[in-house]
Amino acid sequence: MTALEPARPVRPVQPAQPAQPAQPAQPAQDDPPRSRGVHPHTTAPTRPHHPARIPFPLVDEISRHCLEDDEPETVHIEVHLPGRLDHERLRTAFHQALARHPRVLMRQMPTRWWHRHYTWQLTSAPDVDPVVFPPPGPDALAHARARALTDCPPLDASPPVRLEVIEPADAAPVDDRRPAAPSAGTVLLLTLHHTALDGPACLRILATAAELYAGSTGPAGSTEPTGRTSPSGPADPTDPPEPPTHPTHPTHPPHPPYPPHPAQLPGRSRPGLLTRPARLAPDHSTPPTNPTTSSTSTSTSGNGNGNGMLLTELSVPTRPPHPTGERPPYTVNDQLLVATYLMAARWNQLHDRPAAPVVITMPIDDRSRGPHMPIGNGTRLAAVPFPSTTPPLTPHTSPGVAPRTTSTPTPLTRLLHHTSAHTRALKSTTPRSPLGLPAAVLTSLPLPVGPRRALTRALRALAAPWTPTTLLSNIGRVPYPLDFGQTGGRATAVWFSAPVRMPRGLSITTAATCDGDRIHLALRWSRALLDEAAATRLLDLFRSSLAATAWLPTAAPAARPPGTASAPGPVPPAEEGGTP
């Protein structure tokens, strides 16, 4: 593993001050929150500073109770840029972005078992420099991805975020006068501790850093694409232009010989309270293969612990045409949910598992994406159940070609409409507890953190059989261009991966760039559940399942009437899905 550049403590420089005549004593006043630490070298205040203290919110406390050394609670964000970045300018912009969002400058105070709460302590400046530049090399990105799964930023140092800047082996620092070659790209890889932050919050900080690096004169967040709606409003119905054809990414990837449709859709798909959801069948039958540049897998020890990760790009599945300005019959997020269900059902049937309802955890983010977006863990988890009926494993009549649709709705079409109605109801529900009533009761008990931690872990172990099957976190279309100016350019790809813990052991995270037409998917799994070869087969099942949800007309479509949107569905905006 390539050694990282050591973190450097950020120490404000004390410039010499000219002598001033004596002034009468004035009462001390608090600095405005946005006036502290606007630049990493800002003069420190002369009066004693008492950092603010915040008890852990509900999500933070539950995450802190359940931390495991074998499966670090990390969120991985990977942004690909076409150009190069100036090191010092990027470091300065990122520090300024942290100062504009001071809630991220926090560390956990030392806690004993008898304390009533875990407590965050806000700091006026970073304790350590979060921006590091690993030595360039052919394996630098693979090593950085491995660190994102194994090395969690510590909670006792502010901020709990690490930004690694990965450059090609022949990279050299550039300045504003030297344009970057399109082939010489840069990868920004952020690793954050999920006990303190989630993916959208850290992405908001990176978007602010991009605006500051590019020299934007408008307020942070002013570059959000037009046509976006607030998270509480309806989804953006505007369709993008026809997606181009990529030689290396066919529109319809090859299908394994499995059918796309369930045999029937039961009228009642919600399992009962005591019904155990399906567990994904473990598979360690094949020795692991060597990781490539498009995938990474790692373990924290030789006994099969830790996480693995695969990254890929997928075509956006098409949807039926709908009048412009009207809500589509279902969203791409609904297609992703159904594809995840088909993947899990097919996988378990291939491994001779008995049929059981598939329950998918879907995070929902109700926050705005503007410059005043709340920083922290701001998502709530919702469960999307699917029926226990699994698709029959009969071969396609024409392998590699999706089946033709007819005027009669197929079981898969009915399932998509049913899923759409259910997810719309979940998103419109007034948020209560982000993790449900049991978590709210646990965190409100009048007990010290030590007994609460033991009780939380014990109840989590007892509730393991009722844990949802998997997690699908759909970021959707990233609402920021992530434009780093002439030298860095706009983001061409962005991946997220959410942490996984057994017994669920699997998470699927999807996202797309602001103006892209590809879905960037990260499959992350626990090595206690799958090996790398099994995860590759599981990803192939998801790819074919997603392609099966695409709408295809029975014949060549005629000219569309005025006011009708094109068939290809857009990458869903952020509010259509959830976040890690």
PDB file of all heavy atoms in Angstrom, residues 388-418:
ATOM      1  N   SER A 388     -42.846 -12.417  -2.177  1.00  0.00           N
ATOM      2  CA  SER A 388     -41.932 -13.552  -2.062  1.00  0.00           C
ATOM      3  C   SER A 388     -41.899 -14.399  -3.323  1.00  0.00           C
ATOM      4  O   SER A 388     -41.023 -15.262  -3.459  1.00  0.00           O
ATOM      5  CB  SER A 388     -42.343 -14.426  -0.875  1.00  0.00           C
ATOM      6  OG  SER A 388     -43.682 -14.864  -1.017  1.00  0.00           O
ATOM      7  N   THR A 389     -42.837 -14.178  -4.253  1.00  0.00           N
ATOM      8  CA  THR A 389     -42.844 -14.944  -5.498  1.00  0.00           C
ATOM      9  C   THR A 389     -41.611 -14.608  -6.308  1.00  0.00           C
ATOM     10  O   THR A 389     -41.330 -13.443  -6.588  1.00  0.00           O
ATOM     11  CB  THR A 389     -44.099 -14.628  -6.322  1.00  0.00           C
ATOM     12  OG1 THR A 389     -45.248 -14.885  -5.522  1.00  0.00           O
ATOM     13  CG2 THR A 389     -44.145 -15.466  -7.581  1.00  0.00           C
ATOM     14  N   THR A 390     -40.855 -15.612  -6.694  1.00  0.00           N
ATOM     15  CA  THR A 390     -39.620 -15.392  -7.429  1.00  0.00           C
ATOM     16  C   THR A 390     -39.810 -15.700  -8.902  1.00  0.00           C
ATOM     17  O   THR A 390     -40.658 -16.525  -9.275  1.00  0.00           O
ATOM     18  CB  THR A 390     -38.500 -16.285  -6.867  1.00  0.00           C
ATOM     19  OG1 THR A 390     -38.927 -17.641  -6.914  1.00  0.00           O
ATOM     20  CG2 THR A 390     -38.177 -15.900  -5.432  1.00  0.00           C
ATOM     21  N   PRO A 391     -39.016 -15.083  -9.777  1.00  0.00           N
ATOM     22  CA  PRO A 391     -39.153 -15.356 -11.217  1.00  0.00           C
ATOM     23  C   PRO A 391     -38.764 -16.790 -11.548  1.00  0.00           C
ATOM     24  O   PRO A 391     -37.809 -17.318 -10.983  1.00  0.00           O
ATOM     25  CB  PRO A 391     -38.179 -14.355 -11.862  1.00  0.00           C
ATOM     26  CG  PRO A 391     -37.863 -13.365 -10.806  1.00  0.00           C
ATOM     27  CD  PRO A 391     -38.006 -14.077  -9.499  1.00  0.00           C
ATOM     28  N   PRO A 392     -39.480 -17.447 -12.462  1.00  0.00           N
ATOM     29  CA  PRO A 392     -39.073 -18.796 -12.893  1.00  0.00           C
ATOM     30  C   PRO A 392     -37.802 -18.721 -13.732  1.00  0.00           C
ATOM     31  O   PRO A 392     -37.624 -17.807 -14.539  1.00  0.00           O
ATOM     32  CB  PRO A 392     -40.266 -19.269 -13.718  1.00  0.00           C
ATOM     33  CG  PRO A 392     -40.907 -18.011 -14.210  1.00  0.00           C
ATOM     34  CD  PRO A 392     -40.697 -16.990 -13.130  1.00  0.00           C
ATOM     35  N   LEU A 393     -36.910 -19.663 -13.537  1.00  0.00           N
ATOM     36  CA  LEU A 393     -35.626 -19.650 -14.233  1.00  0.00           C
ATOM     37  C   LEU A 393     -35.717 -20.465 -15.520  1.00  0.00           C
ATOM     38  O   LEU A 393     -35.190 -21.567 -15.639  1.00  0.00           O
ATOM     39  CB  LEU A 393     -34.536 -20.203 -13.328  1.00  0.00           C
ATOM     40  CG  LEU A 393     -34.288 -19.397 -12.051  1.00  0.00           C
ATOM     41  CD1 LEU A 393     -33.192 -20.029 -11.223  1.00  0.00           C
ATOM     42  CD2 LEU A 393     -33.931 -17.966 -12.399  1.00  0.00           C
ATOM     43  N   THR A 394     -36.452 -19.936 -16.505  1.00  0.00           N
ATOM     44  CA  THR A 394     -36.528 -20.564 -17.823  1.00  0.00           C
ATOM     45  C   THR A 394     -35.741 -19.720 -18.807  1.00  0.00           C
ATOM     46  O   THR A 394     -35.662 -18.490 -18.664  1.00  0.00           O
ATOM     47  CB  THR A 394     -37.993 -20.655 -18.296  1.00  0.00           C
ATOM     48  OG1 THR A 394     -38.569 -19.348 -18.261  1.00  0.00           O
ATOM     49  CG2 THR A 394     -38.773 -21.589 -17.381  1.00  0.00           C
ATOM     50  N   PRO A 395     -35.131 -20.307 -19.826  1.00  0.00           N
ATOM     51  CA  PRO A 395     -34.292 -19.532 -20.740  1.00  0.00           C
ATOM     52  C   PRO A 395     -35.112 -18.563 -21.579  1.00  0.00           C
ATOM     53  O   PRO A 395     -36.298 -18.752 -21.836  1.00  0.00           O
ATOM     54  CB  PRO A 395     -33.632 -20.607 -21.617  1.00  0.00           C
ATOM     55  CG  PRO A 395     -33.860 -21.894 -20.910  1.00  0.00           C
ATOM     56  CD  PRO A 395     -35.114 -21.724 -20.114  1.00  0.00           C
ATOM     57  N   HIS A 396     -34.448 -17.517 -22.041  1.00  0.00           N
ATOM     58  CA  HIS A 396     -35.032 -16.616 -23.015  1.00  0.00           C
ATOM     59  C   HIS A 396     -35.182 -17.334 -24.352  1.00  0.00           C
ATOM     60  O   HIS A 396     -34.373 -18.187 -24.717  1.00  0.00           O
ATOM     61  CB  HIS A 396     -34.107 -15.407 -23.240  1.00  0.00           C
ATOM     62  CG  HIS A 396     -34.312 -14.316 -22.243  1.00  0.00           C
ATOM     63  ND1 HIS A 396     -35.503 -13.683 -22.054  1.00  0.00           N
ATOM     64  CD2 HIS A 396     -33.443 -13.739 -21.361  1.00  0.00           C
ATOM     65  CE1 HIS A 396     -35.371 -12.758 -21.113  1.00  0.00           C
ATOM     66  NE2 HIS A 396     -34.139 -12.774 -20.681  1.00  0.00           N
ATOM     67  N   THR A 397     -36.216 -16.983 -25.128  1.00  0.00           N
ATOM     68  CA  THR A 397     -36.326 -17.510 -26.479  1.00  0.00           C
ATOM     69  C   THR A 397     -35.277 -16.895 -27.390  1.00  0.00           C
ATOM     70  O   THR A 397     -34.863 -17.501 -28.358  1.00  0.00           O
ATOM     71  CB  THR A 397     -37.726 -17.221 -27.033  1.00  0.00           C
ATOM     72  OG1 THR A 397     -37.958 -15.811 -26.952  1.00  0.00           O
ATOM     73  CG2 THR A 397     -38.783 -17.932 -26.206  1.00  0.00           C
ATOM     74  N   SER A 398     -34.829 -15.689 -27.068  1.00  0.00           N
ATOM     75  CA  SER A 398     -33.787 -15.024 -27.851  1.00  0.00           C
ATOM     76  C   SER A 398     -32.814 -14.383 -26.885  1.00  0.00           C
ATOM     77  O   SER A 398     -33.000 -13.238 -26.481  1.00  0.00           O
ATOM     78  CB  SER A 398     -34.392 -13.961 -28.783  1.00  0.00           C
ATOM     79  OG  SER A 398     -33.375 -13.322 -29.523  1.00  0.00           O
ATOM     80  N   PRO A 399     -31.777 -15.115 -26.484  1.00  0.00           N
ATOM     81  CA  PRO A 399     -30.853 -14.561 -25.487  1.00  0.00           C
ATOM     82  C   PRO A 399     -30.219 -13.268 -25.974  1.00  0.00           C
ATOM     83  O   PRO A 399     -29.888 -13.114 -27.148  1.00  0.00           O
ATOM     84  CB  PRO A 399     -29.812 -15.676 -25.330  1.00  0.00           C
ATOM     85  CG  PRO A 399     -30.483 -16.917 -25.803  1.00  0.00           C
ATOM     86  CD  PRO A 399     -31.421 -16.472 -26.882  1.00  0.00           C
ATOM     87  N   GLY A 400     -30.074 -12.344 -25.038  1.00  0.00           N
ATOM     88  CA  GLY A 400     -29.434 -11.078 -25.358  1.00  0.00           C
ATOM     89  C   GLY A 400     -30.383 -10.009 -25.846  1.00  0.00           C
ATOM     90  O   GLY A 400     -29.985  -8.879 -26.092  1.00  0.00           O
ATOM     91  N   VAL A 401     -31.682 -10.338 -26.013  1.00  0.00           N
ATOM     92  CA  VAL A 401     -32.660  -9.362 -26.495  1.00  0.00           C
ATOM     93  C   VAL A 401     -33.777  -9.284 -25.474  1.00  0.00           C
ATOM     94  O   VAL A 401     -34.316 -10.316 -25.066  1.00  0.00           O
ATOM     95  CB  VAL A 401     -33.225  -9.750 -27.881  1.00  0.00           C
ATOM     96  CG1 VAL A 401     -34.282  -8.755 -28.320  1.00  0.00           C
ATOM     97  CG2 VAL A 401     -32.090  -9.847 -28.895  1.00  0.00           C
ATOM     98  N   ALA A 402     -34.105  -8.084 -25.045  1.00  0.00           N
ATOM     99  CA  ALA A 402     -35.178  -7.914 -24.070  1.00  0.00           C
ATOM    100  C   ALA A 402     -36.510  -8.304 -24.692  1.00  0.00           C
ATOM    101  O   ALA A 402     -36.725  -8.123 -25.896  1.00  0.00           O
ATOM    102  CB  ALA A 402     -35.219  -6.474 -23.581  1.00  0.00           C
ATOM    103  N   PRO A 403     -37.436  -8.842 -23.935  1.00  0.00           N
ATOM    104  CA  PRO A 403     -38.722  -9.289 -24.487  1.00  0.00           C
ATOM    105  C   PRO A 403     -39.553  -8.115 -24.969  1.00  0.00           C
ATOM    106  O   PRO A 403     -39.441  -7.011 -24.482  1.00  0.00           O
ATOM    107  CB  PRO A 403     -39.379  -9.995 -23.293  1.00  0.00           C
ATOM    108  CG  PRO A 403     -38.762  -9.359 -22.098  1.00  0.00           C
ATOM    109  CD  PRO A 403     -37.358  -9.045 -22.493  1.00  0.00           C
ATOM    110  N   ARG A 404     -40.393  -8.392 -25.964  1.00  0.00           N
ATOM    111  CA  ARG A 404     -41.276  -7.359 -26.499  1.00  0.00           C
ATOM    112  C   ARG A 404     -42.461  -7.172 -25.570  1.00  0.00           C
ATOM    113  O   ARG A 404     -42.943  -8.108 -24.939  1.00  0.00           O
ATOM    114  CB  ARG A 404     -41.767  -7.765 -27.891  1.00  0.00           C
ATOM    115  CG  ARG A 404     -40.655  -7.851 -28.910  1.00  0.00           C
ATOM    116  CD  ARG A 404     -41.113  -8.641 -30.120  1.00  0.00           C
ATOM    117  NE  ARG A 404     -42.254  -8.014 -30.765  1.00  0.00           N
ATOM    118  CZ  ARG A 404     -42.169  -7.097 -31.716  1.00  0.00           C
ATOM    119  NH1 ARG A 404     -40.969  -6.678 -32.101  1.00  0.00           N
ATOM    120  NH2 ARG A 404     -43.230  -6.584 -32.289  1.00  0.00           N
ATOM    121  N   THR A 405     -42.905  -5.947 -25.506  1.00  0.00           N
ATOM    122  CA  THR A 405     -44.068  -5.652 -24.684  1.00  0.00           C
ATOM    123  C   THR A 405     -45.335  -5.759 -25.517  1.00  0.00           C
ATOM    124  O   THR A 405     -45.309  -5.685 -26.738  1.00  0.00           O
ATOM    125  CB  THR A 405     -43.968  -4.229 -24.108  1.00  0.00           C
ATOM    126  OG1 THR A 405     -43.921  -3.300 -25.191  1.00  0.00           O
ATOM    127  CG2 THR A 405     -42.711  -4.079 -23.268  1.00  0.00           C
ATOM    128  N   THR A 406     -46.445  -5.931 -24.834  1.00  0.00           N
ATOM    129  CA  THR A 406     -47.744  -5.994 -25.498  1.00  0.00           C
ATOM    130  C   THR A 406     -48.646  -4.963 -24.875  1.00  0.00           C
ATOM    131  O   THR A 406     -48.290  -4.273 -23.933  1.00  0.00           O
ATOM    132  CB  THR A 406     -48.355  -7.407 -25.336  1.00  0.00           C
ATOM    133  OG1 THR A 406     -48.568  -7.647 -23.940  1.00  0.00           O
ATOM    134  CG2 THR A 406     -47.406  -8.483 -25.879  1.00  0.00           C
ATOM    135  N   SER A 407     -49.860  -4.868 -25.438  1.00  0.00           N
ATOM    136  CA  SER A 407     -50.801  -3.896 -24.903  1.00  0.00           C
ATOM    137  C   SER A 407     -51.272  -4.293 -23.506  1.00  0.00           C
ATOM    138  O   SER A 407     -51.701  -3.443 -22.735  1.00  0.00           O
ATOM    139  CB  SER A 407     -52.007  -3.766 -25.846  1.00  0.00           C
ATOM    140  OG  SER A 407     -52.614  -5.040 -26.031  1.00  0.00           O
ATOM    141  N   THR A 408     -51.228  -5.581 -23.180  1.00  0.00           N
ATOM    142  CA  THR A 408     -51.620  -6.030 -21.843  1.00  0.00           C
ATOM    143  C   THR A 408     -50.472  -5.795 -20.870  1.00  0.00           C
ATOM    144  O   THR A 408     -49.341  -6.197 -21.147  1.00  0.00           O
ATOM    145  CB  THR A 408     -51.971  -7.527 -21.869  1.00  0.00           C
ATOM    146  OG1 THR A 408     -52.999  -7.750 -22.833  1.00  0.00           O
ATOM    147  CG2 THR A 408     -52.417  -7.995 -20.491  1.00  0.00           C
ATOM    148  N   PRO A 409     -50.718  -5.128 -19.745  1.00  0.00           N
ATOM    149  CA  PRO A 409     -49.621  -4.901 -18.787  1.00  0.00           C
ATOM    150  C   PRO A 409     -49.039  -6.215 -18.299  1.00  0.00           C
ATOM    151  O   PRO A 409     -49.752  -7.132 -17.907  1.00  0.00           O
ATOM    152  CB  PRO A 409     -50.301  -4.119 -17.653  1.00  0.00           C
ATOM    153  CG  PRO A 409     -51.533  -3.538 -18.266  1.00  0.00           C
ATOM    154  CD  PRO A 409     -51.968  -4.516 -19.306  1.00  0.00           C
ATOM    155  N   THR A 410     -47.756  -6.309 -18.327  1.00  0.00           N
ATOM    156  CA  THR A 410     -47.070  -7.499 -17.844  1.00  0.00           C
ATOM    157  C   THR A 410     -46.977  -7.447 -16.316  1.00  0.00           C
ATOM    158  O   THR A 410     -47.150  -6.390 -15.711  1.00  0.00           O
ATOM    159  CB  THR A 410     -45.665  -7.577 -18.439  1.00  0.00           C
ATOM    160  OG1 THR A 410     -44.906  -6.451 -17.972  1.00  0.00           O
ATOM    161  CG2 THR A 410     -45.711  -7.568 -19.963  1.00  0.00           C
ATOM    162  N   PRO A 411     -46.697  -8.589 -15.686  1.00  0.00           N
ATOM    163  CA  PRO A 411     -46.498  -8.555 -14.225  1.00  0.00           C
ATOM    164  C   PRO A 411     -45.406  -7.577 -13.809  1.00  0.00           C
ATOM    165  O   PRO A 411     -45.525  -6.936 -12.759  1.00  0.00           O
ATOM    166  CB  PRO A 411     -46.127 -10.004 -13.893  1.00  0.00           C
ATOM    167  CG  PRO A 411     -46.741 -10.815 -14.977  1.00  0.00           C
ATOM    168  CD  PRO A 411     -46.669  -9.970 -16.214  1.00  0.00           C
ATOM    169  N   LEU A 412     -44.358  -7.455 -14.617  1.00  0.00           N
ATOM    170  CA  LEU A 412     -43.295  -6.526 -14.266  1.00  0.00           C
ATOM    171  C   LEU A 412     -43.775  -5.085 -14.353  1.00  0.00           C
ATOM    172  O   LEU A 412     -43.426  -4.247 -13.508  1.00  0.00           O
ATOM    173  CB  LEU A 412     -42.089  -6.746 -15.181  1.00  0.00           C
ATOM    174  CG  LEU A 412     -40.860  -5.883 -14.897  1.00  0.00           C
ATOM    175  CD1 LEU A 412     -40.378  -6.105 -13.464  1.00  0.00           C
ATOM    176  CD2 LEU A 412     -39.743  -6.185 -15.879  1.00  0.00           C
ATOM    177  N   THR A 413     -44.599  -4.769 -15.352  1.00  0.00           N
ATOM    178  CA  THR A 413     -45.140  -3.411 -15.458  1.00  0.00           C
ATOM    179  C   THR A 413     -46.036  -3.093 -14.269  1.00  0.00           C
ATOM    180  O   THR A 413     -45.967  -2.003 -13.696  1.00  0.00           O
ATOM    181  CB  THR A 413     -45.927  -3.260 -16.772  1.00  0.00           C
ATOM    182  OG1 THR A 413     -45.062  -3.555 -17.874  1.00  0.00           O
ATOM    183  CG2 THR A 413     -46.471  -1.842 -16.911  1.00  0.00           C
ATOM    184  N   ARG A 414     -46.875  -4.043 -13.891  1.00  0.00           N
ATOM    185  CA  ARG A 414     -47.723  -3.818 -12.724  1.00  0.00           C
ATOM    186  C   ARG A 414     -46.882  -3.647 -11.462  1.00  0.00           C
ATOM    187  O   ARG A 414     -47.217  -2.830 -10.590  1.00  0.00           O
ATOM    188  CB  ARG A 414     -48.709  -4.971 -12.562  1.00  0.00           C
ATOM    189  CG  ARG A 414     -49.719  -5.089 -13.690  1.00  0.00           C
ATOM    190  CD  ARG A 414     -50.904  -5.949 -13.273  1.00  0.00           C
ATOM    191  NE  ARG A 414     -50.496  -7.313 -12.979  1.00  0.00           N
ATOM    192  CZ  ARG A 414     -50.440  -8.289 -13.878  1.00  0.00           C
ATOM    193  NH1 ARG A 414     -50.774  -8.032 -15.141  1.00  0.00           N
ATOM    194  NH2 ARG A 414     -50.073  -9.508 -13.534  1.00  0.00           N
ATOM    195  N   LEU A 415     -45.794  -4.384 -11.366  1.00  0.00           N
ATOM    196  CA  LEU A 415     -44.919  -4.246 -10.212  1.00  0.00           C
ATOM    197  C   LEU A 415     -44.257  -2.864 -10.180  1.00  0.00           C
ATOM    198  O   LEU A 415     -44.117  -2.253  -9.115  1.00  0.00           O
ATOM    199  CB  LEU A 415     -43.852  -5.345 -10.239  1.00  0.00           C
ATOM    200  CG  LEU A 415     -42.850  -5.360  -9.087  1.00  0.00           C
ATOM    201  CD1 LEU A 415     -43.578  -5.529  -7.753  1.00  0.00           C
ATOM    202  CD2 LEU A 415     -41.822  -6.456  -9.272  1.00  0.00           C
ATOM    203  N   LEU A 416     -43.874  -2.343 -11.336  1.00  0.00           N
ATOM    204  CA  LEU A 416     -43.288  -1.007 -11.392  1.00  0.00           C
ATOM    205  C   LEU A 416     -44.294   0.052 -10.950  1.00  0.00           C
ATOM    206  O   LEU A 416     -43.956   0.971 -10.201  1.00  0.00           O
ATOM    207  CB  LEU A 416     -42.797  -0.717 -12.814  1.00  0.00           C
ATOM    208  CG  LEU A 416     -41.499  -1.415 -13.241  1.00  0.00           C
ATOM    209  CD1 LEU A 416     -41.308  -1.297 -14.754  1.00  0.00           C
ATOM    210  CD2 LEU A 416     -40.306  -0.818 -12.512  1.00  0.00           C
ATOM    211  N   HIS A 417     -45.536  -0.064 -11.404  1.00  0.00           N
ATOM    212  CA  HIS A 417     -46.558   0.902 -10.994  1.00  0.00           C
ATOM    213  C   HIS A 417     -46.857   0.784  -9.504  1.00  0.00           C
ATOM    214  O   HIS A 417     -47.057   1.802  -8.820  1.00  0.00           O
ATOM    215  CB  HIS A 417     -47.831   0.692 -11.817  1.00  0.00           C
ATOM    216  CG  HIS A 417     -47.740   1.210 -13.222  1.00  0.00           C
ATOM    217  ND1 HIS A 417     -48.103   2.485 -13.573  1.00  0.00           N
ATOM    218  CD2 HIS A 417     -47.312   0.617 -14.371  1.00  0.00           C
ATOM    219  CE1 HIS A 417     -47.914   2.666 -14.867  1.00  0.00           C
ATOM    220  NE2 HIS A 417     -47.433   1.552 -15.375  1.00  0.00           N
ATOM    221  N   HIS A 418     -46.902  -0.434  -8.990  1.00  0.00           N
ATOM    222  CA  HIS A 418     -47.147  -0.626  -7.569  1.00  0.00           C
ATOM    223  C   HIS A 418     -46.003  -0.032  -6.739  1.00  0.00           C
ATOM    224  O   HIS A 418     -46.236   0.632  -5.722  1.00  0.00           O
ATOM    225  CB  HIS A 418     -47.298  -2.123  -7.268  1.00  0.00           C
ATOM    226  CG  HIS A 418     -47.440  -2.451  -5.819  1.00  0.00           C
ATOM    227  ND1 HIS A 418     -48.640  -2.374  -5.149  1.00  0.00           N
ATOM    228  CD2 HIS A 418     -46.517  -2.840  -4.895  1.00  0.00           C
ATOM    229  CE1 HIS A 418     -48.456  -2.710  -3.881  1.00  0.00           C
ATOM    230  NE2 HIS A 418     -47.178  -3.006  -3.696  1.00  0.00           N
TER     231      HIS A 418
END
